[in-house]
Amino acid sequence: MKKTLLAASVAAVIPFTPSIVFASDDALIVTATRTAQTADETFASVSVVTKEEIEKYQYKTVAEAISGLPGVTIANTGGLGKQTSLFLRGTESNHTQVLLNGVKLATNAFGAPQIEHIPLNQIERIELVRGPQSSLYGSGSIGGTIQIFTKKGSGELTPHLSVGFGTHDTKETTFGISGGDASNWYSLSGGYTETNGFNSCDGRSGTLFIGCFATEPDDDAYRNTNASIRAGHRFANSAELEFFSLYSEGQSEYDGYFNTTDFLQHTFGAKLTADVSDRWTVKATLSQGRIEADNEGAFATSFADNQQDHFSLQNDFQINDEHVLVLGYDYEDDKIKESGGFTETNRHSNAVFAQLLGEYGAHSYQLAVRNEDNEQFGSNTTGNIAWGTSLSNNLRLNASFGTAFVAPALVDLYSPFGANPSLDAERSKSFELGLVGKHADITWSASAYRTKIKDLIALDSLWVPQNISEALIKGLELQAATDIAGINVDGQFSWIDPENKSGGVNDGNVLARRAEQTFTLNANKAFGDFSLASKVFVSGRRFDDVANNRRLAGFTTVDLVGAYKINKDLTAQVKVANLFNEEYETVAGYNTDGANVFFSLSYQPAN
């Protein structure tokens, strides 16, 4: 118990919800508790996308890698590198906190992380935790939290190289070295991606508020140059110091008011972990996240530079074998430089938190509280209470309740174009009940949740942000994984009812751009030096506006990936995405890619 509790000591509570992680039981999960736990110790509703899965299914973007996970809806405006929004469990696109190696990513002008520019070729794994986590990560975690980990070296020095090409004259190169020993670790790598793309906007400029308001039937290209560094040292007293940096810059072409965006995205930081005594561990993190965007068009130009500085101090106290007390402090400074003439461009917040984590017989529980003092919106207190118990050796029951909040983005408050300085912070209450088990070699989970959001911020018909007095989201998630005749199979079904409960003209409508049902079926099998993988993804209908006048039909896509191991160091792969050339939209007026092919060749010496 002592080892488990010390590993589970966190800055705030995570709900005891079903955990089905399609990885081995000893796989480490960090995001659910802000410290390392094995998969079988984690009670949060977690999905993990590993480097092996990224390579097996030849995912090209973070959005593609997580799009088939439970509760996830993706909205994309025209292909690789174009604006991509994530709606987790029916909440807004700025209701999911995105972390890199434990620190927050800077957000774009709309207060949401820009996941479309994160180079997936630099990523070791992705963890997605569903459910409210303001008690753990503060403002922005109503729907959940995603943490992205860059590659971390170990063992003898190992080089790696990958090259690929495909449809739309797409080219991709990744290269680097990694290694380490008992006291040191390092990974240095770089990459380049470019594509001619396809026509992002379908040109319905004559229809008000749909698409890009322009008819420009040309290909919209994208390029991304990126680099990653992660290195650390373990001292003789077991203290650890680590530095990391993820950098990407490039250009994305659009249709409409702006034709190109030059972007720069950089997140870097340092982490120190030290044992003060056998019962006291201190973790300190200092980091900075930054996003720059320079937009150019035939009629106008603009720029925006968002910088977020963070400091965190966490203390884990092992009271006894059954209880851990956690005390900590978080600081965030948010600054934006832009060309629009914002009346306010800076704000900061301070937060303190406390948590008690323990066991009593067959029962486990967590109690946590966090107070965050936001410079603009004052004091905000969030908390969680959770309980879990084993009904048998193969079945666990979990229940939780949590609150969360989101401070409005600076652009919504102070932009000279369509801002609303009277906006209130969004606040939520969530309940969840779930079961997780393993029977007849099938690992499965089922969870039901209910989230009520007060003062939800949404755009009205004139694109001005307004508080919706209330939104109610109900959902069900089913997952299962097994092995059938040597074929690894896993799947999920999600049902979401995201309802506008404002009492006004849109009362009872479905919240915009959320798919009400999704289904995923993955399968893979190795045949000696050959392997095959397939992914079937089904999305139900969604609406593109708050009035539910623009209905987007559901769709089904099928992807196939084949790989051949030429020798122990060299592997060739080919992927056919959207095999049946399905035509669909996730944002009204914006195209998605048809059937496309990508071929790659990877070299990495076997250890």
Side-chain angles (χ1 to χ4, degrees):
M1 175 65 189
K2 179 177 178 180
K3 179 180 178 182
T4 301
L5 281 178
L6 187 57
S9 60
V10 298
V13 66
I14 291 295
F16 278 108
T17 54
S19 170
I20 179 165
V21 182
F22 298 124
S24 61
D25 287 344
D26 59 353
L28 291 181
I29 309 299
V30 176
T31 309
T33 56
R34 276 181 78 159
T35 192
Q37 285 186 303
T38 59
D40 59 348
E41 291 175 325
T42 300
F43 296 104
S45 183
V46 180
S47 295
V48 179
V49 181
T50 64
K51 179 180 66 174
E52 290 73 22
E53 288 174 304
I54 292 172
E55 295 172 351
K56 184 182 302 178
Y57 290 96
Q58 283 288 284
Y59 296 132
K60 299 304 174 190
T61 66
V62 171
E64 184 184 11
I66 65 175
S67 61
L69 298 181
V72 173
T73 298
I74 299 293
N76 173 264
T77 58
L80 193 64
K82 307 306 184 281
Q83 182 180 338
T84 302
S85 299
L86 163 67
F87 303 92
L88 183 55
R89 281 191 167 178
T91 60
E92 277 293 337
S93 59
N94 63 329
H95 289 175
T96 301
Q97 191 69 254
V98 180
L99 310 174
L100 179 75
N101 296 333
V103 305
K104 291 184 179 182
L105 289 179
T107 57
N108 61 18
F110 302 100
Q114 267 184 280
I115 61 175
E116 61 265 28
H117 299 318
I118 298 173
L120 196 61
N121 51 22
Q122 307 291 355
I123 304 308
E124 181 74 22
R125 74 181 190 279
I126 302 170
E127 297 179 2
L128 185 148
V129 184
R130 289 170 286 271
Q133 293 183 285
S134 277
S135 293
L136 186 62
Y137 296 109
S139 173
S141 290
I142 289 179
T145 301
I146 293 175
Q147 182 154 197
I148 299 167
F149 297 88
T150 54
K151 295 177 179 179
K152 180 180 180 179
S154 62
E156 63 184 57
L157 188 149
T158 304
H160 62 86
L161 172 67
S162 177
V163 295
F165 61 90
T167 309
H168 311 303
D169 199 23
T170 301
K171 304 179 184 69
E172 184 175 271
T173 302
T174 306
F175 55 90
I177 59 171
S178 62
D181 54 32
S183 301
N184 304 281
W185 59 93
Y186 58 89
S187 177
L188 299 88
S189 57
Y192 180 77
T193 299
E194 71 171 356
T195 180
N196 288 341
F198 52 87
N199 185 27
S200 295
C201 182
D202 65 13
R204 286 188 282 169
S205 57
T207 306
L208 190 63
F209 298 132
I210 295 181
C212 54
F213 319 111
T215 301
E216 299 176 359
D218 62 333
D219 291 338
D220 296 301
Y222 176 71
R223 65 170 177 83
N224 184 315
T225 302
N226 50 79
S228 173
I229 301 173
R230 188 173 178 185
H233 177 72
R234 183 176 296 107
F235 298 93
N237 61 358
S238 297
E240 294 183 1
L241 178 63
E242 181 178 71
F243 170 80
F244 64 90
S245 172
L246 181 64
Y247 175 91
S248 64
E249 65 87 20
Q251 184 179 86
S252 187
E253 295 182 358
Y254 296 87
D255 293 329
Y257 195 66
F258 296 113
N259 295 112
T260 63
T261 294
D262 293 321
F263 68 88
L264 182 152
Q265 188 170 28
H266 189 198
T267 304
F268 62 95
K271 297 190 290 185
L272 175 65
T273 302
D275 293 329
V276 179
S277 70
D278 291 341
R279 293 183 175 270
W280 179 13
T281 300
V282 176
K283 304 173 185 177
T285 304
L286 184 64
S287 66
Q288 181 181 103
R290 187 175 178 184
I291 291 179
E292 293 183 19
D294 293 316
N295 306 299
E296 296 184 3
F299 304 102
T301 61
S302 72
F303 76 88
D305 180 0
N306 179 226
Q307 177 179 309
Q308 294 182 354
D309 300 319
H310 303 97
F311 172 72
S312 177
L313 182 65
Q314 178 177 322
N315 297 272
D316 302 341
F317 299 98
Q318 185 79 47
I319 298 175
N320 54 37
D321 288 349
E322 286 77 34
H323 293 87
V324 169
L325 175 67
V326 179
L327 301 174
Y329 168 78
D330 288 333
Y331 171 81
E332 178 178 321
D333 182 60
D334 189 2
K335 298 184 284 289
I336 185 168
K337 297 178 182 178
E338 47 71 49
S339 56
F342 283 26
T343 55
E344 294 285 345
T345 59
N346 177 259
R347 68 182 176 196
H348 65 265
S349 64
N350 293 273
V352 293
F353 50 82
Q355 179 196 221
L356 181 65
L357 170 67
E359 283 185 0
Y360 182 76
H363 305 279
S364 303
Y365 64 89
Q366 292 177 316
L367 302 172
V369 63
R370 177 189 181 101
N371 181 265
E372 185 162 326
D373 185 15
N374 185 284
E375 183 179 12
Q376 292 176 313
F377 293 92
S379 177
N380 297 272
T381 300
T382 54
N384 291 73
I385 181 170
W387 164 83
T389 188
S390 295
L391 302 179
S392 70
N393 291 336
N394 297 315
L395 186 64
R396 184 175 178 84
L397 174 67
N398 309 286
S400 67
F401 169 76
T403 63
F405 85 102
V406 174
L410 292 172
V411 66
D412 290 335
L413 294 165
Y414 303 120
S415 169
F417 307 104
N420 183 355
S422 300
L423 290 172
D424 293 323
E426 303 167 276
R427 305 177 188 280
S428 72
K429 295 180 180 179
S430 296
F431 298 87
E432 185 163 356
L433 183 67
L435 288 169
V436 59
K438 185 173 182 178
H439 298 85
D441 295 325
I442 299 175
T443 303
W444 61 271
S445 74
S447 59
Y449 60 90
R450 182 180 187 273
T451 298
K452 181 181 289 187
I453 305 176
K454 292 287 188 181
D455 295 319
L456 176 74
I457 297 174
L459 299 179
D460 63 17
S461 60
L462 298 177
W463 284 14
V464 176
Q466 305 289 349
N467 283 118
I468 297 175
S469 60
E470 185 176 304
L472 179 62
I473 303 171
K474 294 174 287 184
L476 174 68
E477 295 166 353
L478 306 175
Q479 300 181 80
T482 190
D483 185 290
I484 303 174
I487 303 173
N488 299 311
V489 180
D490 65 78
Q492 69 85 22
F493 171 78
S494 298
W495 170 79
I496 302 173
D497 180 20
E499 186 179 359
N500 184 320
K501 300 287 286 186
S502 63
V505 65
N506 295 314
D507 186 75
N509 286 354
V510 178
L511 298 176
R513 297 184 178 173
R514 282 78 157 173
E516 296 174 277
Q517 304 91 23
T518 61
F519 169 77
T520 309
L521 180 63
N522 298 314
N524 66 84
K525 181 176 175 60
F527 307 86
D529 292 332
F530 292 89
S531 64
L532 290 174
S534 66
K535 176 179 179 178
V536 178
F537 177 71
V538 182
S539 174
R541 69 167 189 179
R542 68 186 76 187
F543 294 94
D544 194 63
D545 62 327
V546 294
N548 286 185
N549 291 327
R550 298 194 295 272
R551 182 181 184 274
L552 302 180
F555 60 89
T556 300
T557 60
V558 178
D559 298 343
L560 294 178
V561 181
Y564 173 63
K565 199 166 185 61
I566 299 171
N567 58 42
K568 62 184 180 64
D569 302 328
L570 197 61
T571 303
Q573 288 183 295
V574 61
K575 177 176 182 177
V576 182
N578 195 2
L579 177 65
F580 298 107
N581 200 32
E582 180 88 343
E583 294 184 9
Y584 63 96
E585 293 179 337
T586 58
V587 178
Y590 289 92
N591 297 317
T592 53
D593 206 356
N596 60 92
V597 180
F598 189 83
F599 173 82
S600 65
L601 193 64
S602 301
Y603 168 78
Q604 181 167 329
N607 292 330

